[in-house]
Amino acid sequence: MAKQNKDEQRLNDTIKELPVIPVKEDLVIFPYMPPVPPFPPHHIALSGESVTAAVDDAMVDGSRLICIFKLHEDKDKKELKIKDLHPVGSLVHIIKYRKEDENVLFLAQGRARIRIDEIIQTEPFIKARVQIIEEAANETTVESEALIRSVLSLFQKIVELSSRYQEEFSIIAENIDEPGRLADYIAAALNLKSEDKQLLLETVPIKDRLERLIVSLTKELDLLELESKIQSNAQEVINKGQREYFLREQMKAIQDELGETDDLGLEIEEMREQIEKANMPEKAKAAAEKELNRLSQMHASSPESTVSRNYLDWLINLPWDVSTEDRLEISHAKQILDEDHYDLEKVKDRILEYLAVRLLKQDMKGPILCFVGPPGVGKTSLGKSIARAMERKFVRISLGGIHDEAEIRGHRRTYIGSMPGRIVKSLRQAESNNPVFMLDEIDKLGSDFRGDPASALLEVLDPEQNNTFVDNYLDVPFDLSKVMFITTANQLYTIPPALLDRMEVLELPGYTTNEKLMIAKQYLISRQLEAHGINADQLSIMDDAIRQIVDTYTREAGVRNLERELGTICRKVARQVAEGNETPTHVTPADLPDYLGVTKFYSEVAERQGEVGVVTGMSATAYGGEILFVEATRMTGKGKLILTGQIGDVMQESAQAALSYVKSQSEYLHIKSDFFQKNDIHVHVPSGAIPKDGPSAGITIATALASLATGQKVIPDVAMTGEITLRGRVLPIGGLKGKTLAAKQAGIKTVILPQRNQKDLAEVPDDAKDGVEFVSVNHMSEVFEFVFKSAS
Ligand code: ADP
């Protein structure tokens, strides 16, 4: 019975009727306070009539006890129901309090966790019957021990890391034996969110409470670590910035002291503006800005800053966003082309077609035009006319002798004195990103250990990739797709095949004497007169005189030297005029030696004819068609073949084939049976300074060898061209027009050509064919028959 009473008593002890204050504020009070300070602060400030009334009641009662429960977020204090409150609250002992009107400030201490059994009254304050939740007895298991250790070590770390917590917190925590109390103490001390705190308050089983606390501690530790990392990074940045600022100020002071003014800042600002204005594409702008930042950190007079400035200067001054507006009017283009050039109808037509396609397609993709022909036939001037017709800028670079890829693509900036390549340089010069860009002498492009310029050019000319052309120096892409590239070459066969593939070839083989006369009369003379400040009344040159200049003062396919000679006459007349001689000058053929000196060329043909073993051939060289003499001679020996005169591989092989063929025909030609065993044969092609190649001299060499071996002369005024096979067949050759022009000019009367080239004669202007007989052959025997039979 006694025992039952005792239990009843305890139950009564744990059930009390007490004032309740529901709170919305971030206020969770844990039951345990350590006996020594520092406590986690529990200064509570609340307001409202019901709060004052509740506190009054607690004080009057003498118990000084009130209950604090957290309200669910969306609930109100009016007409309060139990379910509006969180299930677990705190029993609080008021240590001190002060009332100010409706506000109550008090210092309180948590005593226990409580639950509400029943609300007894709600006016003037809430009163409820509450039940105290007793802590379970302290039972140390391995598991709880481990949990406690984790809690302590995490808490310690947090205290160390954050200045928010006093160091004593962790010492006190270590001295709390009860795990439940420890958890409550740390939960109260920690800067947790109020929901987390409430959750910990509601977690009655101690093991669960510790586990939940560990989660909160770990979260807090992570946050703190991140926070301190962010802070230290920020600190680092600030320190670096401060250091730089300090050093720069120092540098300024030193410069001032030395009398060196620093305009760099100003210059940088200027450059920044220019970068904005240049309207660069994103990548280029980013590179420019990066470089500008680098520059701003350099000493104004350091060599490094010069390099940096140079780079920026290039970036700023390139025509990233500058283009000229195209005039694509076919009739206008035709007019300009005609204005600047005599004849060249086929080429002009093709150019106009090309422009027409551009007009319709509105882009510059498509094959690249390639003008092929000897010097002085108007390749460059056609390019200039195209630019003029389209109202585009014109730039031109010569690729002749370029071996180094860097000439095209530039040197990396790591080299001292490095520069962009020629493409970029020319664009800067053009001041527009869509000029007509002429690449001269593409047939003379070299390649060696310094890289392959042809492959760089391929990229430049390829419409699929040239919109992102990267110059090594600039190191950012430049869009070349709007540029109209035109290439020129003297001959086709040395152009790298991959490049040739991209191009559409337009041949300009050279002019006949009549054509040159017309060009001189209609274009060159008036230009030269103007260039020398005289007019047509003061100087006229007779047609015969012009012909004479063409025939004896120049030997060329184009008109460059003709123009020069005409210039010389103009210069001399200009001097006479300047000296006061007012009488008009008429230049006749007889006057030419006075103006131009003795004739420079004479017909070699007449002189060389009639020699055994000498035959006139025709070749197509880079300078246009030429006649050449193949000389064969013999000396006692063992049948060796010696070849001289800068002969290329193909021509050498062709000489071997010619020799073999002639040997095989010994009987038919009546050559002595031991002729080739007892003699060494020497074949020479004079004008040794000019390299010659190609198979087209085959029949000429064979004829020279036959002439030598048989001792028969070749009939006069004959020139020939054609490839020879071992069986004596005559194969077709190229460049017939140029060759015929040269033969005609040299006074040749008969041209022997392969049968299969007969059709090409249609391309040869009539005045070049005038007075020349053309003999077409299929086989070497026909050649022999013609040149020897007729002679005998
Ligand atoms: P290329 O580039 O083929 O070496 P250019 O274009 O420099 O030759 O021509 C040399 C000179 O001859 C230029 O003054 C050019 O105007 C003139 N010329 C060439 N062909 C013609 C032509 N068909 N009509 C008028 N002038 C010409």
Side-chain angles (χ1 to χ4, degrees), residues 340-344 373-382 396 438 440 488 490 511 519 523-524 527 559-560 563:
D340 295 348
H341 300 94
Y342 173 79
D343 196 35
L344 296 177
V377 291
K379 301 183 293 296
T380 312
S381 84
L382 276 173
R396 178 180 165 211
M438 190 161 243
D440 270 339
T488 79
N490 289 138
Y511 302 111
I519 294 174
Y523 299 88
L524 306 182
R527 259 185 243 159
V559 292
R560 198 171 277 173
E563 190 170 20

Side-chain angles (χ1 to χ4, degrees), residues 617-629:
M618 298 181 285
S619 69
T621 70
Y623 304 97
E626 283 206 354
I627 57 160
L628 52 84
F629 300 98

Side-chain angles (χ1 to χ4, degrees), residues 630-690:
V630 175
E631 298 176 346
T633 188
R634 69 179 177 89
M635 49 238 145
T636 319
K638 291 183 179 151
K640 247 186 9 196
L641 177 66
I642 305 160
L643 297 164
T644 54
Q646 283 233 44
I647 297 176
D649 286 349
V650 180
M651 199 156 165
Q652 290 195 20
E653 282 171 13
S654 150
Q656 294 282 1
L659 178 64
S660 300
Y661 173 72
V662 173
K663 277 186 187 170
S664 72
Q665 296 301 306
S666 292
E667 208 171 308
Y668 161 76
L669 289 167
H670 308 294
I671 300 171
K672 275 198 207 141
S673 56
D674 57 356
F675 179 84
F676 289 108
Q677 278 103 54
K678 293 199 171 154
N679 294 298
D680 283 347
I681 313 282
H682 185 171
V683 173
H684 180 62
V685 187
S687 301
I690 301 168

Side-chain angles (χ1 to χ4, degrees), residues 545-557:
I546 300 174
R547 272 181 207 282
Q548 182 93 26
I549 299 172
V550 170
D551 288 340
T552 59
Y553 286 88
T554 65
R555 179 171 288 173
E556 58 175 352

